[in-house]
Amino acid sequence: MPPKAVTKSAPLPPKEAALFKTLLSQYEARQLKKAIKTADQILKKVGNHGETISMKGLVLTYQGKREEGMELVKKGVLLDLQSHICWHVHGLVHKQDKNYEEALKCYAQALKYDPGNMNILRDTATLQSQLRRFDHLEQTRLTILKLRPSLKQNWVALSVAYGLNNDWVAAQKLLEEFLSMVKEVPPFDPEFSELLLFYLTVLERNGNYEKALKQLEEYTEANKVVDRMHAATFQPRLLQKLGRTEEANEKYKTLIARNPDCYDFYRAYFGHNGLSLDDSSPESINTLTSELELFANQFPHALVPRRLPLTITSGELFQTLVKQYILRGLKKNIPSLFADLKPLYGDDTKRSVIQSIVEQYRDELEAESGTKDEDDSPTTYVWTLYFLGLHYSAQGEYQRAHDILNKAIEHTPTLPELYTAKARNLKRAGDHVGAAAALDVAAELDGQDRFLNTKCATYHLRMGDVEGAQKFLGMFTKKDALSPAKDLEDMQSFKFLLEDGEARMRENMLPMALKRFRTIDKIFLDFNDEQFDFHGFCIRRFTLNIYFDVVKWANDLRWHSIYIRAILNATKIYLRLFDTPGLAAEQTAPVPEPEGEKKSKKQMKRDKVKAAEEARKAAEKEKDEDAVVVKDDDPDGHKAISVEDPLEQAAKLLQTFTSEDHQVFDIWIATYDVAIRRKKYLQSLRALAKAKHLRPSSPEVHQRLIDFQLQVSSLDKESESMESILVKEGLSRLAPGEQSLVVQNSQYLQNNSTNAPAIVSVARASHKIGVSISEVEDVAFSLLRDDVDLKYQVGVDALQLLEEINSTRVTEFRDGCQKRLPLSTAFLSKDELAKLKQKAAPQDPDASEETAANGDLVIEPTDTTPNP
């Protein structure tokens, strides 16, 4: 039974009051065991003292006894409702649990009974910054300043609060008042320099350009500004806004001379002169081209003034300029030349011009009577082939790219870039086995190259070889780690966590896949929580301009592509768990070893050594008392996947996005998939409407629009409920209600008859509608027409559909896809794919003896691609 609430407890006797002060000191010094003893000593005399009970509960939470500690904290609050200490402690416990909303409420209660407590006020200000309560932050910082006006941090903190709340006028007045009171400051003081730069930013925000420029020149001459690069970029911007064109031009030219390969300086210079690199008018293009030509002559080694004209020019001028640029790059053997020019490929004409120039130059190098410049190096030819291989691959001509890259490898078999290009091409073509094999060769050429080994591990993951990938990654992880995967998880390697999770997802190893994606979610949550201490740190260290950048970065953190990709994958797994009852139990069931399968002596020896090594590492960690080892309570991901409410878990993951009006198409599709299964028709309708607005003709939207009409058709047509009325009105705006679903599906197919993803979408929609299997098969087989641009991912999706409906033409479709996509291994049977992986696998040195004894044939990695 909880204790009866007491408004105010009696004060402690003098001896116990002294002990309570000791208790506070011990807590601040983190002498937790002594603090517990002191608290028990007080409670022997005064057993119902709320503040002591709360402090004891707080100490217990730091000792890992969270439940017991939380109970004592709540009990302490009930025993002394007017104690600021009890409420402050309650807030601290909530803050430990990252429950910032409740912590802020507790601090507000504490301030009712002790409005001038600086510790509580500072904690409150930090929480308000974390929760973006900037209007309340102003009041809190103002209270702190009134209590402690002698501390300069309090003045700066209030000005920052004004800035965060977009009250720049108040920030300027406060800073000017503070600067008027500042006495002599030594030159090149970094903290004061940051404050002055922040003050200049505030002046610029308020439109006081003349004053900002005058102050900037004064501060720079007096050596008060340490960050001279910041000042150098600040000054021409102010001159530009004041209309002092000539002076601004000189300053921008000085910046360009300082770094002639900085795109931002050129854009700022042209923008100041009323020119834009996105302006396609002839007058603008002529002016930009002439200006860039002057810069190119002035800085002969800079690439940017030669590269920018390629973006804005067209026709014969573009052909002349791009030819000079390409030949210069090929003769200098620049590997990144294609990546530099790839943004131009959005224009089909420019892409064709680039192709013809490089092919012509290749022909000149191959021709016996071709004329070559004196500066052509012997390797120019192979880099020309390398460029063409990347070019053809980017256009989807995978076979052509494959042939030309093989030709380049025959010419120079020791160049790793050729194998990486070949691997990238095979990956795009759907041959992940051959891609991994090609990168194995590249890694062998330079075994110590971290990039090559990391790339090789990535391709092994995409091939489904999780263990092989970890061997490559283990070359660069800590040797005393439990495993390379564990070390990479501790190092928060998004690349590994994402690729490993997707690899396990493809291999139907859902527990570990889900664990990887939830780990990424946890890391981003940690990123968000880690800014908590940054709010106070930036004020103390006066890094004010960077602080505003960090706040903006943290606001956009959840929109990072890696986080979105992880959340979408985790949502797909939760949907599979919901759609397939018993899948979680199947995935977590122990896998029995096949009978009659015996390990070789070498394998048994390796397993024994591995087990002994893991035992040794575990023993060393136990002996190390200073090491804080966080035990993984779900090493296999079984807890992550064994959830009773997968739909609710998916909804929680998407909740961050659904509360905002964003433009991420895939998130809206995932939101619909979850909401429709939860029977949340209005939420489903909103998600579908947003997705259709972003991509009106998307196959994903069409398939779900058919599904939504089927789902809501079960609603009572005569119902007058608000939800039913809103659903009907919303659906009438999305789909023509007078047409049947079969007609809608047929019309969509007619309008997108050569779009491969659209064809698969129509086939899936046809199956949902309930048409015959033969009709679904006919739609799926239309993918094999010559006028359809078929990619292997779409073919695999259609193949999965045929398998789901138990089609008898699966083998026929598989063979048809293999004929259309000869380089792809995605349509091989499981046995054929396993044999191919075995041939492509790098030989284990420990098993070489057995391999030789068994007479296995060693296949070169370049021969792993199936014959057309």
Side-chain angles (χ1 to χ4, degrees):
M1 182 177 177
K4 186 178 180 180
V6 179
T7 304
K8 183 68 177 176
S9 63
L12 287 172
K15 182 180 178 181
E16 281 68 31
L19 286 173
F20 186 76
K21 290 182 180 180
T22 304
L23 170 61
L24 295 176
S25 301
Q26 290 169 342
Y27 161 74
E28 291 173 358
R30 292 298 185 268
Q31 298 174 349
L32 303 182
K33 292 182 179 179
K34 292 182 179 180
I36 290 292
K37 291 181 180 179
T38 304
D40 290 337
Q41 190 176 351
I42 297 173
L43 293 175
K44 283 182 181 179
K45 297 290 185 179
V46 187
N48 61 348
H49 188 246
E51 294 179 349
T52 303
I53 293 174
S54 294
M55 285 301 302
K56 181 179 179 180
L58 179 62
V59 173
L60 288 174
T61 61
Y62 278 99
Q63 291 183 329
K65 304 173 183 178
R66 302 205 60 80
E67 293 184 2
E68 182 182 352
M70 193 62 182
E71 288 297 323
L72 288 178
V73 169
K74 291 179 179 178
K75 181 180 177 182
V77 172
L78 287 174
L79 288 172
D80 198 344
L81 290 174
Q82 293 186 1
S83 170
H84 70 278
I85 292 179
C86 291
W87 284 110
H88 191 190
V89 167
H90 202 187
L92 290 173
V93 174
H94 280 305
K95 191 179 76 171
Q96 289 178 9
D97 296 333
K98 308 295 190 288
N99 191 353
Y100 300 130
E101 292 281 356
E102 291 299 320
L104 189 57
K105 292 177 183 178
C106 293
Y107 288 165
Q109 288 292 331
L111 288 173
K112 284 183 180 180
Y113 306 113
D114 191 1
N117 190 299
M118 291 300 298
N119 289 331
I120 302 177
L121 284 169
R122 278 194 292 265
D123 287 348
T124 301
T126 305
L127 278 176
Q128 288 167 342
S129 300
Q130 181 76 5
L131 296 173
R132 306 300 189 260
R133 308 281 177 80
F134 298 137
D135 50 345
H136 297 111
L137 177 64
E138 280 189 14
Q139 299 301 320
T140 304
R141 288 297 186 187
L142 182 59
T143 303
I144 294 175
L145 178 60
K146 289 178 179 178
L147 293 172
R148 298 282 180 84
S150 58
L151 290 178
K152 62 180 180 180
Q153 289 89 344
N154 295 339
W155 290 82
V156 175
L158 180 56
S159 65
V160 169
Y162 285 138
L164 290 171
N165 203 31
N166 289 320
D167 191 354
W168 296 102
V169 175
Q172 179 181 338
K173 291 179 180 178
L174 186 72
L175 286 172
E176 288 174 348
E177 184 179 353
F178 171 70
L179 291 174
S180 65
M181 297 186 295
V182 175
K183 297 179 181 180
E184 290 295 325
V185 178
F188 300 111
D189 182 86
E191 292 185 358
F192 193 66
S193 170
E194 287 294 319
L195 176 60
L196 294 178
L197 289 173
F198 176 63
Y199 172 57
L200 295 175
T201 302
V202 172
L203 289 175
E204 183 185 18
R205 291 268 190 169
N206 288 325
N208 297 327
Y209 307 128
E210 188 70 47
K211 185 175 183 180
L213 180 61
K214 181 181 178 182
Q215 295 289 71
L216 176 61
E217 293 172 350
E218 179 183 328
Y219 296 152
T220 305
E221 291 175 3
N223 293 328
K224 293 181 178 180
V225 175
V226 177
D227 190 350
R228 291 303 177 94
M229 192 61 195
H230 191 150
T233 56
F234 210 138
Q235 190 174 15
R237 189 168 72 244
L238 292 174
L239 289 169
Q240 172 191 348
K241 292 179 179 179
L242 288 170
R244 295 159 65 173
T245 307
E246 295 298 327
E247 295 178 68
N249 280 344
E250 291 301 319
K251 295 297 180 182
Y252 278 123
K253 288 180 179 179
T254 303
L255 287 174
I256 292 174
R258 192 170 186 173
N259 184 2
D261 278 318
C262 180
Y263 280 93
D264 292 338
F265 292 163
Y266 289 95
R267 291 185 181 276
Y269 171 73
F270 291 131
H272 162 64
N273 288 281
L275 300 171
S276 172
L277 295 174
D278 300 323
D279 188 357
S280 58
S281 63
E283 297 81 6
S284 177
I285 291 175
N286 291 334
T287 306
L288 287 169
T289 305
S290 59
E291 287 276 359
L292 289 168
E293 185 178 358
L294 293 175
F295 283 123
N297 295 331
Q298 184 179 356
F299 310 110
H301 297 292
L303 288 178
V304 173
R306 290 175 172 80
R307 172 62 181 81
L308 283 175
L310 305 182
T311 303
I312 58 178
T313 56
S314 59
E316 294 183 1
L317 179 58
F318 170 78
Q319 187 171 357
T320 302
L321 294 176
V322 78
K323 184 174 183 179
Q324 296 173 357
Y325 193 83
I326 290 174
L327 296 184
R328 181 176 184 268
L330 291 176
K331 292 174 182 179
K332 287 183 174 292
N333 302 160
I334 300 176
S336 60
L337 179 63
F338 175 77
D340 185 15
L341 295 176
K342 190 176 179 182
L344 301 175
Y345 279 41
D347 188 328
D348 294 338
T349 304
K350 291 185 177 182
R351 183 173 68 244
S352 300
V353 169
I354 292 172
Q355 178 175 329
S356 63
I357 290 172
V358 182
E359 286 178 342
Q360 181 181 358
Y361 186 57
R362 185 265 319 266
D363 295 340
E364 290 179 2
L365 293 174
E366 289 179 343
E368 293 181 356
S369 58
T371 58
K372 296 197 297 181
D373 296 336
E374 294 181 357
D375 57 348
D376 285 342
S377 66
T379 56
T380 301
Y381 176 64
V382 73
W383 286 110
T384 304
L385 296 180
Y386 172 75
F387 184 98
L388 283 174
L390 295 175
H391 170 84
Y392 294 141
S393 180
Q395 292 192 121
E397 300 179 55
Y398 304 127
Q399 186 64 57
R400 195 175 181 184
H402 185 67
D403 295 339
I404 203 166
L405 287 171
N406 279 337
K407 186 176 181 180
I409 290 172
E410 290 176 5
H411 181 279
T412 309
T414 57
L415 188 62
E417 283 83 353
L418 296 176
Y419 295 96
T420 58
K422 179 180 178 180
R424 187 180 300 113
N425 180 63
L426 290 174
K427 176 202 70 173
R428 291 171 176 169
D431 181 12
H432 292 289
V433 180
L439 266 172
D440 286 341
V441 179
E444 289 174 3
L445 292 173
D446 191 352
Q448 300 302 313
D449 190 292
R450 189 182 293 262
F451 167 78
L452 286 177
N453 283 281
T454 303
K455 202 72 175 174
C456 196
T458 302
Y459 275 56
H460 273 268
L461 286 173
R462 291 172 181 169
M463 185 180 70
D465 183 16
V466 177
E467 293 185 2
Q470 293 200 24
K471 289 181 180 178
F472 283 101
L473 296 170
M475 297 171 60
F476 304 102
T477 54
K478 293 180 180 178
K479 302 305 178 184
D480 59 343
L482 293 177
S483 66
K486 182 60 180 173
D487 184 46
L488 290 168
E489 181 180 337
D490 294 339
M491 295 296 291
Q492 299 180 340
S493 172
F494 288 130
K495 179 71 173 177
F496 167 75
L497 292 171
L498 197 56
E499 292 287 353
D500 187 69
E502 291 179 344
R504 294 176 186 272
M505 192 175 172
R506 287 190 294 268
E507 297 296 319
N508 201 35
M509 301 162 63
L510 300 185
M512 281 303 296
L514 183 59
K515 182 185 177 183
R516 294 288 189 241
F517 300 138
R518 293 308 303 247
T519 300
I520 293 176
D521 177 46
K522 181 180 179 300
I523 292 172
F524 272 86
L525 182 62
D526 290 342
F527 284 171
N528 185 67
D529 292 335
E530 283 168 1
Q531 66 170 312
F532 188 89
D533 295 328
F534 206 72
H535 299 297
F537 171 81
C538 288
I539 302 299
R540 293 193 303 271
R541 304 299 297 176
F542 284 66
T543 54
L544 308 179
N545 290 294
I546 295 298
Y547 174 65
F548 279 83
D549 294 338
V550 169
V551 171
K552 183 179 181 301
W553 171 83
N555 291 339
D556 300 334
L557 187 60
R558 294 300 179 95
W559 302 103
H560 196 284
S561 58
I562 290 177
Y563 182 73
I564 291 176
R565 195 167 148 191
I567 293 301
L568 290 174
N569 285 326
T571 301
K572 290 176 182 177
I573 294 177
Y574 282 128
L575 292 178
R576 284 186 60 184
L577 293 175
F578 176 80
D579 294 339
T580 312
L583 179 60
E586 177 187 331
Q587 290 280 330
T588 55
V591 180
E593 292 186 4
E595 294 183 3
E597 186 176 302
K598 295 182 179 180
K599 294 182 179 180
S600 64
K601 291 182 180 180
K602 293 279 186 180
Q603 182 64 37
M604 293 174 65
K605 183 178 179 181
R606 285 198 295 270
D607 291 346
K608 188 176 180 180
V609 171
K610 183 179 179 181
E613 182 67 16
E614 290 180 354
R616 182 186 65 81
K617 291 178 181 178
E620 288 180 356
K621 285 187 175 294
E622 288 180 2
K623 290 179 182 179
D624 188 3
E625 297 179 356
D626 297 330
V628 179
V629 182
V630 180
K631 187 177 180 181
D632 189 355
D633 60 347
D634 189 21
D636 301 320
H638 289 179
K639 288 185 180 180
I641 203 171
S642 300
V643 292
E644 297 179 358
D645 52 348
L647 276 185
E648 296 303 319
Q649 295 295 326
K652 288 179 182 178
L653 287 177
L654 295 170
Q655 187 175 6
T656 306
F657 306 101
T658 54
S659 59
E660 298 188 31
D661 187 15
H662 59 81
Q663 305 295 313
V664 185
F665 175 80
D666 292 332
I667 290 293
W668 286 121
I669 292 296
T671 302
Y672 170 84
D673 291 340
V674 173
I676 198 67
R677 288 169 172 80
R678 299 174 68 207
K679 306 298 182 184
K680 305 287 186 181
Y681 295 115
L682 288 177
Q683 189 177 2
S684 304
L685 180 65
R686 176 175 178 257
L688 193 57
K690 292 290 185 181
K692 188 175 178 63
H693 174 72
L694 293 173
R695 301 181 189 176
S697 302
S698 169
E700 298 282 348
V701 172
H702 169 73
Q703 180 182 333
R704 283 159 180 80
L705 185 57
I706 296 292
D707 175 69
F708 186 68
Q709 294 177 79
L710 286 171
Q711 295 281 354
V712 300
S713 63
S714 60
L715 294 176
D716 186 3
K717 295 183 179 180
E718 303 299 328
S719 174
E720 296 297 331
S721 66
M722 183 60 68
E723 181 186 32
S724 178
I725 294 173
L726 292 174
V727 167
K728 292 175 184 176
E729 291 180 358
L731 185 57
S732 65
R733 292 191 292 268
L734 293 178
E738 66 278 1
Q739 293 181 350
S740 66
L741 298 181
V742 175
V743 173
Q744 293 179 38
N745 207 30
S746 177
Q747 286 186 352
Y748 184 78
L749 180 60
Q750 291 177 6
N751 296 332
N752 301 274
S753 58
T754 59
N755 186 329
I759 293 174
V760 177
S761 175
V762 170
R764 288 193 174 277
S766 300
H767 178 58
K768 275 189 172 295
I769 294 171
V771 302
S772 63
I773 292 180
S774 61
E775 293 183 47
V776 177
E777 291 173 341
D778 291 341
V779 175
F781 270 79
S782 65
L783 287 168
L784 303 180
R785 299 198 317 265
D786 293 336
D787 60 337
V788 177
D789 184 16
L790 179 63
K791 302 295 183 183
Y792 83 93
Q793 299 95 331
V794 181
V796 169
D797 191 13
L799 183 63
Q800 290 175 350
L801 172 62
L802 294 176
E803 292 174 345
E804 290 171 8
I805 64 176
N806 298 320
S807 171
T808 58
R809 302 177 66 186
V810 170
T811 304
E812 180 186 352
F813 183 79
R814 191 191 300 271
D815 294 340
C817 289
Q818 191 65 66
K819 186 177 180 180
R820 282 288 311 275
L821 306 169
L823 287 178
S824 176
T825 60
F827 304 101
L828 299 178
S829 65
K830 291 184 178 180
D831 293 338
E832 291 172 331
L833 194 59
K835 291 179 181 179
L836 195 63
K837 288 182 180 180
Q838 187 176 6
K839 289 180 180 180
Q843 296 298 310
D844 189 344
D846 296 333
S848 58
E849 209 174 290
E850 294 176 38
T851 303
N854 294 332
D856 290 345
L857 179 64
V858 179
I859 306 296
E860 290 295 328
T862 53
D863 295 331
T864 58
T865 306
N867 293 325

